[in-house]
């Protein structure tokens, strides 16, 4: 199986590339390295003893994509490449629509020209918006996400549906991730955010390693079990294996055409304070934190109904919250600056 992984040098992409190699796939990574470092791919190669065909390029560059598809016999595309900072997407929305929506259209066009029809897309729980009750289930109507970033995910899902309606060969899978955290158990690859982390776990990890003074807990007056927001955190290796499961599902269903969406989550809501306690237990040290005002756009609580993926993909998130914390810490303490030298 020859798999093209766009954005494969990034956080989720690099862990997925590792899983794909372990499942005997040939992997081509296409990434512009805007938010990643080639070191992730080198480490994946070291960990697996297998090589990755890396091409530095941008999904909006159709001529480069065309030569890639002409020169390689690609069976399946796993499409991670996107900008992903929710707050930033409100400041530079056009860059997000350009990169995430236009980039996906370029990729789908070139795939169609080369008769490649298997497409696995990185979607997000954010597509359920504010309107839906929890837990989120795939049969719900998509909502209105609170950010341009979220809107790009809804738009690409719509583009996939329209592509399927017009192309009887198209085989799309939309994987709606909840909150991926953690790192490969080796501590060799993990999340390496540029600048100040936007997400909870990388921030906590940087506080613990002494790079940041203290964590700000964004609000403790939500209508939740302890007043802080609840999310469905899942281990990034479980998520990576979800992509292999989706690919295998496509293989097991040769007659399938259309688009199918799957939630990838654990099905459990975990609060910010529970994350703080679990991380403290993993590191055996207290985390300095203060409670600060709510962050605009945060929903109080959401988690997945993951039964569809459990049953149909034969996939389940199995790693525990404590493993997520321990693996995050193994990665962060061994690589305090991520993949950057200093
Ligand atoms: P990441 O930033 O680590 O990885 C994205 C990769 O895509 C990076 O390596 C970046 O350099 C590359 N890229 C961006 N624009 C590109 C372009 N135009 N051409 C080629 N390469 C490009 O992010 P991640 O956390 O690994 O997320 C991967 C995907 O999963 C994204 O689509 C993201 O929106 C989605 N997602 C992430 C989360 C999360 O919490 N991390 C949750 C839900 C969905
Ligand atoms: C988790 C919780 C914060 C930082 C975002 C995107 C979502 C998806 C995953 C891509 C929240 C709290 C955070 C901090 C805090 N990405 N927090 N202090 O907001 O659930 O989801 O990333 O698709 O689309 O919206 O994740 O990690 O930012 O926040 O208290 O310094 O931690 O308020 O309750 P979120 P997060």
């Amino acid at each position: 199986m020859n798999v093209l992984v766009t954005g494969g040098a990034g956080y989720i992409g690099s862990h997925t590339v590792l899983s794909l190699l372990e499942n005997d796939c040939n992997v081509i990574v296409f990434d512009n390295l805007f938010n990643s470092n080639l070191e992730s791919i080198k480490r994946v190669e070291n960990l697996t003893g297998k090589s990755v065909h890396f091409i530095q390029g941008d999904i909006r560059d159709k001529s480069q994509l065309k030569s890639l598809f002409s020169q390689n016999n690609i069976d399946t595309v796993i499409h991670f490449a996107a900008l992903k900072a929710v707050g930033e997407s409100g400041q530079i929305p056009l860059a997000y629509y350009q990169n995430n929506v236009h980039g996906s259209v370029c990729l789908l066009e070139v795939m169609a020209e080369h008769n490649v029809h298997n497409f696995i897309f990185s979607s997000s729980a954010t597509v359920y918006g504010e309107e839906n009750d929890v837990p989120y289930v795939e049969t719900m109507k998509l909502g209105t996400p609170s950010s341009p970033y979220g809107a790009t995910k809804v738009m690409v899902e719509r583009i996939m549906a329209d592509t399927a309606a017009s192309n009887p060969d198209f085989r799309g899978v939309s994987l709606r991730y909840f909150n991926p955290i953690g790192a490969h158990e080796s501590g060799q690859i993990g999340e390496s955010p540029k600048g100040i982390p936007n997400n909870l776990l990388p921030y906590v990890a940087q506080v613990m390693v002494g790079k940041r003074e203290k964590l700000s807990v964004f609000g403790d007056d939500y209508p939740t079990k302890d007043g802080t927001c609840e999310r469905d955190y899942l281990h990034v290796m479980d998520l990576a294996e979800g992509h292999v499961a989706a690919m295998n599902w496509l293989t097991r269903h040769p007659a399938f055409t259309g688009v199918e969406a799957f939630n990838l989550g654990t099905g459990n809501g975990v609060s910010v304070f529970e994350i703080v306690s679990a991380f403290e237990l993993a590191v055996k040290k207290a985390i300095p934190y203060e409670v600060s005002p709510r962050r605009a756009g945060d929903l109080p609580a959401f988690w997945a109904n993951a039964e569809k993926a459990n049953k149909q993909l034969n996939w389940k998130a199995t790693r525990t919250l404590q493993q997520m914390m321990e693996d995050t810490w193994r990665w962060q303490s061994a690589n305090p600056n991520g993949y950057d030298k200093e």
Side-chain angles (χ1 to χ4, degrees):
M1 183 75 83
N2 295 325
V3 187
L4 171 66
V5 184
T6 74
Y11 172 47
I12 305 169
S14 56
H15 291 79
T16 303
V17 169
L18 186 143
S19 278
L20 291 167
L21 293 172
E22 284 176 341
N23 283 275
D24 296 324
C25 295
N26 299 317
V27 180
I28 301 173
V29 168
F30 187 79
D31 196 306
N32 64 4
L33 300 180
F34 176 79
N35 196 37
S36 52
N37 192 311
L38 196 50
E39 180 65 17
S40 65
I41 297 296
K42 290 186 186 148
R43 293 191 187 186
V44 166
E45 290 183 321
N46 283 340
L47 284 165
T48 56
K50 295 182 178 174
S51 59
V52 172
H53 180 178
F54 177 79
I55 301 167
Q56 183 163 359
D58 195 297
I59 50 167
R60 293 164 293 179
D61 181 347
K62 280 180 74 177
S63 63
Q64 202 181 2
L65 282 181
K66 282 179 187 182
S67 61
L68 190 165
F69 278 83
S70 306
Q71 286 161 21
N72 298 277
N73 198 5
I74 291 161
D75 300 300
T76 300
V77 175
I78 306 185
H79 178 36
F80 292 104
L83 301 178
K84 65 156 184 179
V86 173
E88 181 189 66
S89 76
Q91 289 145 18
I92 48 167
L94 298 183
Y96 274 69
Y97 292 116
Q98 237 293 319
N99 201 76
N100 297 6
V101 181
H102 172 66
S104 298
V105 171
C106 292
L107 179 61
L108 288 164
E109 282 175 340
V110 178
M111 281 176 64
E113 283 166 21
H114 292 81
N115 289 313
V116 176
H117 303 298
N118 295 329
F119 183 72
I120 299 176
F121 174 60
S122 294
S123 189
S124 166
T126 190
V127 299
Y128 291 105
E130 297 178 7
E131 296 91 335
N132 285 302
D133 292 332
V134 291
Y136 295 149
V137 61
E138 294 88 344
T139 46
M140 288 171 167
K141 267 195 161 174
L142 297 191
T144 314
S146 57
S147 68
Y149 163 78
T152 70
K153 295 293 175 192
V154 173
M155 286 179 191
V156 175
E157 288 215 10
R158 173 67 196 259
I159 289 166
M160 288 170 71
D162 291 342
T163 303
S166 63
N167 172 359
D169 295 323
F170 187 72
R171 288 153 52 80
V173 175
S174 184
L175 298 179
R176 297 178 182 158
Y177 314 156
F178 281 67
N179 286 58
I181 59 170
H184 185 256
E185 61 184 9
S186 63
Q188 291 280 307
I189 57 169
E191 188 167 11
S192 178
K194 297 198 175 177
I196 301 171
N198 299 302
N199 297 113
L200 179 61
L201 252 290
Y203 203 99
V204 168
Q206 290 197 4
V207 170
M208 278 306 211
V209 89
K211 285 187 74 176
R212 314 258 160 227
E213 193 193 336
K214 60 180 168 219
L215 170 71
S216 295
V217 173
F218 298 145
D220 67 351
D221 56 352
Y222 284 98
T224 57
K225 54 187 152 192
D226 60 21
T228 63
C229 293
E230 290 169 36
R231 295 289 181 271
D232 185 339
Y233 298 95
L234 80 159
H235 196 294
V236 67
M237 284 310 301
D238 279 328
L239 182 59
E241 289 162 8
H243 294 77
V244 176
M247 217 178 58
N248 291 341
W249 180 84
L250 279 171
T251 307
R252 279 201 312 278
H253 295 85
F256 164 77
T257 57
V259 180
E260 206 66 53
F262 295 96
N263 288 340
L264 297 184
T266 64
N268 301 314
V270 171
S271 75
V272 177
F273 281 153
E274 285 173 329
I275 288 283
V276 167
S277 303
F279 209 87
E280 288 180 336
L281 191 64
V283 181
K284 300 183 180 59
K285 212 170 85 181
I287 299 178
Y289 75 84
E290 66 181 5
V291 175
S292 57
R294 292 180 177 194
R295 183 172 68 178
D298 274 343
L299 294 177
F302 60 85
W303 57 90
N305 174 329
E307 280 172 26
K308 185 177 175 190
N310 296 166
K311 286 191 188 126
Q312 296 191 31
L313 297 184
N314 218 353
W315 171 90
K316 202 171 182 359
T318 56
R319 293 162 177 91
T320 63
L321 187 65
Q322 218 44 50
Q323 273 173 286
M324 300 181 212
M325 300 301 140
E326 282 161 17
D327 292 339
T328 302
W329 183 236
R330 193 173 300 110
W331 152 256
Q332 187 70 49
S333 51
N335 304 272
N337 298 311
Y339 296 116
D340 295 333
K341 298 270 182 290
E342 52 194 76

